[in-house]
Amino acid sequence: LGRIVNGQSIRIAGDIFTQDIILYIREHRNLHIGEAMAEKIKLKVGAAITNLKSPPKAIQAEGRDMLTGKPKQIQVSHKEKKKSLDASISQIENAILATLSEIPPEISADIYNTGILLTGGGSMLRGLDERLSKATELPVHLGDYPLKAVVKGSSKVLKNLDQYKSVLVKK
């Protein structure tokens, strides 16, 4: 329609997923891990669903035992990481459903035919597209270059400011 039709912004992304993992490991496994280890866990075994077509192998996570204070190592699987990310992913699902319920019918028809496109680093979480597709009953696709989408889109807008003036937010 050449303008912003509807939008909602929630502050859930890769950094929140990392914090979710730290909290879950601390609360459920009594292990205090750092941000670097949580990031490694997210990248190696992070998942939004438990029934992955090709699940990653479990990895070793190192940290400090919360009970003894000693260094400790535990095995972490993708199924456990799915549990740690559930609350944040549910917030994403709810935001998408709320936005879909408020858009004009012509946009709904377009989304029904083409689906939803995920971008950004968080969109690369294993099974996220499948989980969101199940929640919305729509096709969900991962963008070709999810990590570069914002930069490429911003570049396009800056190079063609007159064309995109109507979608820019004014102060």
Side-chain angles (χ1 to χ4, degrees), residues 5-6 96 99-101 103-117 136-141:
V5 176
N6 190 318
I96 292 170
T99 301
L100 289 172
S101 71
I103 57 176
E106 55 271 22
I107 301 295
S108 291
D110 189 35
I111 292 172
Y112 181 80
N113 291 323
T114 60
I116 297 171
L117 184 66
T136 61
E137 299 179 7
L138 294 166
V140 177
H141 313 282

Side-chain angles (χ1 to χ4, degrees), residues 35-93:
E35 209 167 292
M37 178 54 63
E39 182 73 15
K40 179 180 175 184
I41 292 168
K42 179 179 71 176
L43 295 174
K44 298 279 185 183
V45 295
I49 59 174
T50 52
N51 299 329
L52 293 170
K53 291 177 183 118
S54 56
K57 291 180 181 175
I59 66 165
Q60 296 292 326
E62 299 92 18
R64 185 180 71 242
D65 188 297
M66 298 291 291
L67 302 174
T68 66
K70 296 176 185 175
K72 184 178 173 183
Q73 192 176 64
I74 61 170
Q75 189 94 342
V76 179
S77 75
H78 76 283
K79 290 181 181 181
E80 190 173 24
K81 290 309 103 223
K82 183 261 182 204
K83 291 177 192 172
S84 70
L85 303 174
D86 264 346
S88 292
I89 295 171
S90 291
Q91 287 183 49
I92 294 170
E93 290 171 338

Side-chain angles (χ1 to χ4, degrees), residues 5-6 15-16 20-21 27-28 33 36 71 73 81 88 92 95 116-118 123 132 145 149 152 158 162-163 165 167:
V5 176
N6 190 318
D15 292 343
I16 298 297
D20 288 345
I21 291 168
E27 290 178 354
H28 292 89
I33 61 171
Q73 192 176 64
K81 290 309 103 223
S88 292
I92 294 170
I116 297 171
L117 184 66
L118 301 177
S123 70
L132 294 177
Y145 304 100
K152 288 180 122 183
L158 288 172
D162 289 337
Q163 183 180 350
K165 214 180 273 187
V167 296

